[in-house]
């Protein structure tokens, strides 16, 4: 061996030369002294062991005892004996290699240790607990000799920490295969398995033959048999039952087979749970992908972590946060060099990142442009009207470049998501790919690599807006002499003229805030148990939920109209009739629900549950675009409850 001062290495070497794990303390000290004298020039630190060797190695031995690498005992004459645990670990490791070659050999047990060996060298652990732990993660080392405590008080198996737990399972499967290949056992257990599975004889027979005839694929059969775990447990149960009924005195081979059965059952349970968790995780990730394709189509990471399944259970928990991040990373990076990944990321002005499915980008851009058109037009018309009424003028009224910049600023303010998408780096590349619905595929957002003007995106003309603003002015603004005199007398300052009026969304949210404060004050003045108090509480709960659906740059009516444009494909009077029919159905349903609905339970989850129930009714199932329809129902429920009449019975929208 190479020169060393490691006492444990020297103990292991000395024990292997003696071919025993029990080393006489005095003999080892003598060996160590001679070893030190011989290798002193190579290892000067060995000089410490030349004189009082016993006392010199005492601290080292105490450390090894604490680390459970050696045990000190005394023989019949009182001499100290060192038991070198790594020797047994190496010895029993070789036993497992022999079992792999010869399945009929028994597993090593605690009874195989010499009688003089202290049983404390064995770390006894519950077999199920240890096997499942090591199957999950195992770090091989030569420090521990485990004793697997099996069910039914079967003899504990010795398992060195140098042996992979997969080898133990494979050896167990090999023993069962070896037994089932015997002439008397093969047909007997095959018949038992097929008879007890009427109607499934062929799958049972295929499972049995696949296991018995492929000894090198036993662990694969066990770990990948998602539909065969019931058959595994049946087969193990039949073998155990047969041994208990027929056998009286067990041979070592019989005992080893029973131990193999118990280990196989533990491993089968582990892989069954692992497989079920994988199926659950895969289904949750599939639901995650489906939810990303639902309105509003763009989601922050925080929103994604709060996704729920159809049973209202959080998806996060069915997969870990690390698995979620890995899935998002994969979906936002996969694809070849000529294609964008299936999920894209864009950043809002507040640096908040949002995720959106590639196939939904153009569809969302079209919807948001349509949605923003009226609000942007109205905001500009109101501002220009205010400026013109004050006898002022703005560059954007007469210059197209200034008008385009004004449209850009309005979109940034009133539709931040649209602005973020239009300025996203992936949008130009997206126009070169063919995907999404037909409507999106016909839209051209870029010409010669440049985004088309905002006026074309919003189908808005500067001259039309100026005409609409002027037409609201009193008639004398068109009479030159009168308007000139009035301008001299009444023209306001430039800062007042250029100050933008509040947008419709700002007015809406200010009004809602004022109404909320007023109703809170009224609610504090009445009895907490009256119907009126319950109504105020419901309305306040609706306002809280509304924050999840309506951003600061939008209103609930705008959101309702947006989603109706998607699901209501009718035209003319038919469109109006369908609109009213759906609203009446929702009102009738909510009239019944509100009679017994506590304000505390009017939450986002409850609204989603109500809308899910409604959208599955036969009359609404006929309408296409179910996702948009369900979102519309959620918004309309919030609007109904928020606008409950104060002096009517609760439940009358």
């Amino acid at each position: 061996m190479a020169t060393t001062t490691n006492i444990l290495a020297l103990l292991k070497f000395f024990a292997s030369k003696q071919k025993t794990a029990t080393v006489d303390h005095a003999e080892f000290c003598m060996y160590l002294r001679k070893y030190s004298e011989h290798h002193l020039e190579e290892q000067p630190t060995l000089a410490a062991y030349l004189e009082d060797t016993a006392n010199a190695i005492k601290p080292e031995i105490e450390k090894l005892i604490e680390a459970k690498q050696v045990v000190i005992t005394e023989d019949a004459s009182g001499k100290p004996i060192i038991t070198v645990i790594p020797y047994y670990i190496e010895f029993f490791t070789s036993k497992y290699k022999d079992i792999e070659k010869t399945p009929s050999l028994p597993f090593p047990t605690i009874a195989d240790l010499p009688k003089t060996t202290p049983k404390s060298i064995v770390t006894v652990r519950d077999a199920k607990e240890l096997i499942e732990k090591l199957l999950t993660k195992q770090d091989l080392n030569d420090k521990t000799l485990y004793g697997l405590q099996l069910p039914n008080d079967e003899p504990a198996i010795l398992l060195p920490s140098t042996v992979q737990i997969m080898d133990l399972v494979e050896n167990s499967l090999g023993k069962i295969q070896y037994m089932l290949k015997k002439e008397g056992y093969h047909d007997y257990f095959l018949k038992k398995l097929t008879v007890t599975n009427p109607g499934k004889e062929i799958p049972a027979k295929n499972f049995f033959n696949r296991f018995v005839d492929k000894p090198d694929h036993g662990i694969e059969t066990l770990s990948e048999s998602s539909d065969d775990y019931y058959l595994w447990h049946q087969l193990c149960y039949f073998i155990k039952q047969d041994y208990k009924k027929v056998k009286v005195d067990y041979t070592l081979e019989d005992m080893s087979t029973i131990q193999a059965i118990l280990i196989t059952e533990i491993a089968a349970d582990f892989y069954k749970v692992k497989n079920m968790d994988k199926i659950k995780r895969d289904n949750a990730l599939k639901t995650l992908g489906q939810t990303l394709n639902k309105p509003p189509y763009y989601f922050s990471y925080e929103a994604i972590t709060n996704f729920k399944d159809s049973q209202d259970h959080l998806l996060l928990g069915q997969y870990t946060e690390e698995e979620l991040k890995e899935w998002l990373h994969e979906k936002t990076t996969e694809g070849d060099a000529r294609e964008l990944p299936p999920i894209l990321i864009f950043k809002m002005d507040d640096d908040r990142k949002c995720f959106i499915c590639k196939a939904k980008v153009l569809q969302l851009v079209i919807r948001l442009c349509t949605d923003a058109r009226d609000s942007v037009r109205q905001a500009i018309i109101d501002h220009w009207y205010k400026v013109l009424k004050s006898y002022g003028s703005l560059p954007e009224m007469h210059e197209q470049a200034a008008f385009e910049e004004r449209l850009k600023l309005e979109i940034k303010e009133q539709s931040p998501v649209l602005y973020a998408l239009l300025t996203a780096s992936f949008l130009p590349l997206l126009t070169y790919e063919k995907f999404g619905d037909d409507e999106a595929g016909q839209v051209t957002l870029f010409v010669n690599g440049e985004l088309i003007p905002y006026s074309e995106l919003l189908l808005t003309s500067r001259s039309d807006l100026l005409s609409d603003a002027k037409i609201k002015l009193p008639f004398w603004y068109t009479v030159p002499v009168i308007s000139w005199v009035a301008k001299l007398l009444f023209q306001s300052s430039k800062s007042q003229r250029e100050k933008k009026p509040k947008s419709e969304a700002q007015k809406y949210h200010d009004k809602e805030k004022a109404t909320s404060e007023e109703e809170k004050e009224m609610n504090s003045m009445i009895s907490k148990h009256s119907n009126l108090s319950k109504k105020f509480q419901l309305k306040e709960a609706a306002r809280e939920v509304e924050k999840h659906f309506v951003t600061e740059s939008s209103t609930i009516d705008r959101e309702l109209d947006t989603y109706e444009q998607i699901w209501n494909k009718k035209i003319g009077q038919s469109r109006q009739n369908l609109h009213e029919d759906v609203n009446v159905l929702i009102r009738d349903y909510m009239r019944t629900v509100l009679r017994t609905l506590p304000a505390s339970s009017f939450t986002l989850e409850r609204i989603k549950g109500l809308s899910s129930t409604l959208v599955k009714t036969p009359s609404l199932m006929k309408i296409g675009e179910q996702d948009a329809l369900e979102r519309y129902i959620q918004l309309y429920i919030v609007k109904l409850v928020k606008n409950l009449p104060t002096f009517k019975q609760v439940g009358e929208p």
Side-chain angles (χ1 to χ4, degrees), residues 529-556:
H529 301 289
S530 67
N531 283 343
L532 195 58
S533 177
K534 177 186 174 183
K535 190 179 300 185
F536 283 137
Q537 291 171 15
L538 278 169
K539 295 171 76 171
E540 190 58 33
R543 288 192 180 91
E544 286 298 317
V545 175
E546 183 183 7
K547 295 175 183 178
H548 293 277
F549 295 110
V550 183
T551 63
E552 290 293 328
S553 59
S554 184
T555 68
I556 195 166

Side-chain angles (χ1 to χ4, degrees), residues 497-541:
R497 293 197 307 270
E498 293 184 352
K499 184 179 180 181
K500 289 174 55 180
K502 289 186 176 181
S503 66
E504 292 298 319
Q506 291 172 327
K507 293 177 183 177
Y508 170 79
H509 288 289
D510 288 345
K511 180 182 176 183
E512 287 299 313
K513 185 177 180 180
T515 304
S516 176
E517 293 297 330
E518 181 182 345
E519 290 185 349
K520 284 181 180 178
E521 185 176 349
M522 292 177 63
N523 189 35
S524 65
M525 299 168 60
I526 61 178
S527 171
K528 293 183 179 181
H529 301 289
S530 67
N531 283 343
L532 195 58
S533 177
K534 177 186 174 183
K535 190 179 300 185
F536 283 137
Q537 291 171 15
L538 278 169
K539 295 171 76 171
E540 190 58 33

Side-chain angles (χ1 to χ4, degrees), residues 634-651:
Q634 293 168 1
L635 288 162
Y636 195 69
I637 288 175
V638 172
K639 182 179 179 180
L640 285 176
V641 176
K642 193 181 66 171
N643 295 324
L644 281 173
T646 307
F647 300 106
K648 290 185 180 181
Q649 293 294 325
V650 175

Side-chain angles (χ1 to χ4, degrees), residues 96 107 127 131 135 148 150-151 157 165 168-173 176 222 236 256-269:
Y96 277 91
F107 284 121
I131 290 174
L135 282 173
L148 302 187
L150 295 167
I157 294 176
I165 193 65
L168 174 64
V169 177
E170 288 184 336
N171 287 342
S172 299
L173 294 172
I176 300 173
L222 179 66
C236 292
S256 187
T257 302
I258 293 175
Q259 291 170 330
I261 288 292
L262 295 174
I263 292 171
T264 301
E265 285 183 319
I266 293 171
D269 281 335

Side-chain angles (χ1 to χ4, degrees), residues 78-116:
K79 290 182 180 180
I81 301 296
I82 305 174
T83 301
V84 185
I85 298 177
Y87 177 88
Y88 282 123
I89 292 176
E90 184 178 338
F91 176 77
F92 288 115
T93 300
S94 65
K95 291 290 185 182
Y96 277 91
K97 294 179 181 178
D98 295 337
I99 294 173
E100 186 177 349
K101 299 175 183 177
T102 311
S104 60
L105 293 176
F107 284 121
T109 65
I110 293 179
D112 294 329
L113 292 171
K115 293 181 180 180
T116 57

